[in-house]
Amino acid sequence: SAEGGILFAVAPVFTLLLSQFLIKEKASTLQIFSVLLSVSGVIYIFYRTAGLEQSSGERSMIGILLLLLNSLSFALYSVLARRYTDRYDSLHLSTVMITVGFIGFHILLLGKNALFGQETAYLAPLTEPKYLLSIFYLGVLSTLGTSMLNNFALSHLEASKMSVFTNLGTLISIFAGAVILDERVYFFHVIGAIFIIIGVIGTNLGQPSQQKKREEIGRA
């Protein structure tokens, strides 16, 4: 889990790089430094957390590659969504994203059930209230709500600015663990949190370049 958190934390770095090459967003020196500072805070927290855990699990190279692919996919989404927010609103973008995901995952699910002769397994979970509640949370709040908010944010913020907010999820996890699960908060959590917060603020304080301003005026 610690390695997963560290690998996912590099998504803002991927976003920063891809946004400069694909949609020509120019980040200032302050923004670049702030993104790296925020990412460093997340990596520091997960690194120190891993030192407290007595885990002997083997590392999976396939798992690491998949986590890196996950971070790269999120970065590509942020950059490409940013490109189309000037032509389509967040509702249209979210509708297309969810529809494509719905069709794609159902094809995989039905194909898997047919391959293993488990055609009836598709409807079986629908009789479980906990399953329906989980689907409602994942579908309405975690997917629909999140995608619409992300796309709305990308219509007003540069991709690199929006993606760095994902690192705040680490702080929310620490806070929720302390309040709900009565987990202990260590000093390194505080240090990492300061890095993350300063990085997020610094990234969004950075002013876009003159070229970016001209592009925004031209779209308007």
Side-chain angles (χ1 to χ4, degrees), residues 73-127:
S73 298
F74 178 80
L76 280 171
Y77 149 71
S78 300
V79 172
L80 294 178
R82 171 67 175 170
R83 170 182 288 179
Y84 290 106
T85 50
D86 60 336
R87 283 186 277 173
Y88 307 99
D89 58 34
S90 58
L91 179 60
H92 285 93
L93 290 175
S94 299
T95 300
V96 172
M97 289 169 52
I98 294 173
T99 302
V100 172
F102 174 83
I103 295 173
F105 279 107
H106 269 75
I107 291 174
L108 292 174
L109 175 61
L110 295 175
K112 173 179 175 292
N113 290 342
L115 182 63
F116 292 97
Q118 300 174 342
E119 289 80 1
T120 59
Y122 177 81
L123 298 176
L126 297 179
T127 60

Side-chain angles (χ1 to χ4, degrees), residues 141-153:
L141 299 178
S142 183
T143 301
L144 176 61
T146 301
S147 64
M148 288 188 65
L149 290 174
N150 282 339
N151 291 330
F152 178 78

Side-chain angles (χ1 to χ4, degrees), residues 26-46:
K26 301 300 181 181
S28 65
T29 303
L30 175 60
Q31 288 177 322
I32 295 174
F33 174 78
S34 298
V35 168
L36 295 177
L37 182 65
S38 178
V39 170
S40 299
V42 177
I43 293 176
Y44 176 70
I45 289 175
F46 279 102

Side-chain angles (χ1 to χ4, degrees), residues 12 15 74 77-79 81 149-155 157-167 203-204:
T15 305
F74 178 80
Y77 149 71
S78 300
V79 172
L149 290 174
N150 282 339
N151 291 330
F152 178 78
L154 285 168
S155 67
L157 295 174
E158 297 171 39
S160 58
K161 289 184 177 181
M162 193 283 290
S163 66
V164 78
F165 276 98
T166 60
N167 289 339
T203 302
N204 286 274

Side-chain angles (χ1 to χ4, degrees), residues 49-220:
T49 300
L52 297 176
E53 298 173 349
Q54 301 298 322
S55 175
S56 59
E58 296 181 358
R59 289 176 173 83
S60 170
M61 184 57 63
I62 295 178
I64 291 175
L65 292 176
L66 289 174
L67 286 169
L68 284 174
L69 181 61
N70 177 56
S71 295
L72 183 60
S73 298
F74 178 80
L76 280 171
Y77 149 71
S78 300
V79 172
L80 294 178
R82 171 67 175 170
R83 170 182 288 179
Y84 290 106
T85 50
D86 60 336
R87 283 186 277 173
Y88 307 99
D89 58 34
S90 58
L91 179 60
H92 285 93
L93 290 175
S94 299
T95 300
V96 172
M97 289 169 52
I98 294 173
T99 302
V100 172
F102 174 83
I103 295 173
F105 279 107
H106 269 75
I107 291 174
L108 292 174
L109 175 61
L110 295 175
K112 173 179 175 292
N113 290 342
L115 182 63
F116 292 97
Q118 300 174 342
E119 289 80 1
T120 59
Y122 177 81
L123 298 176
L126 297 179
T127 60
E128 296 291 336
K130 291 183 178 180
Y131 176 82
L132 295 176
L133 181 61
S134 299
I135 289 297
F136 175 80
Y137 173 79
L138 291 173
V140 177
L141 299 178
S142 183
T143 301
L144 176 61
T146 301
S147 64
M148 288 188 65
L149 290 174
N150 282 339
N151 291 330
F152 178 78
L154 285 168
S155 67
H156 292 80
L157 295 174
E158 297 171 39
S160 58
K161 289 184 177 181
M162 193 283 290
S163 66
V164 78
F165 276 98
T166 60
N167 289 339
L168 292 176
T170 302
L171 302 187
I172 296 174
S173 299
I174 294 173
F175 178 78
V179 174
I180 299 176
L181 302 178
D182 198 27
E183 294 180 345
R184 184 176 178 182
V185 177
Y186 293 91
F187 185 67
F188 65 81
H189 287 140
V190 178
I191 296 176
I194 293 173
F195 282 9
I196 294 172
I197 294 173
I198 293 176
V200 172
I201 293 175
T203 302
N204 286 274
L205 283 179
Q207 296 297 320
S209 65
Q210 294 299 319
Q211 178 182 352
K212 178 61 181 176
K213 290 180 180 179
R214 288 194 297 269
E215 291 175 354
E216 291 179 345
I217 294 173
R219 287 204 300 264

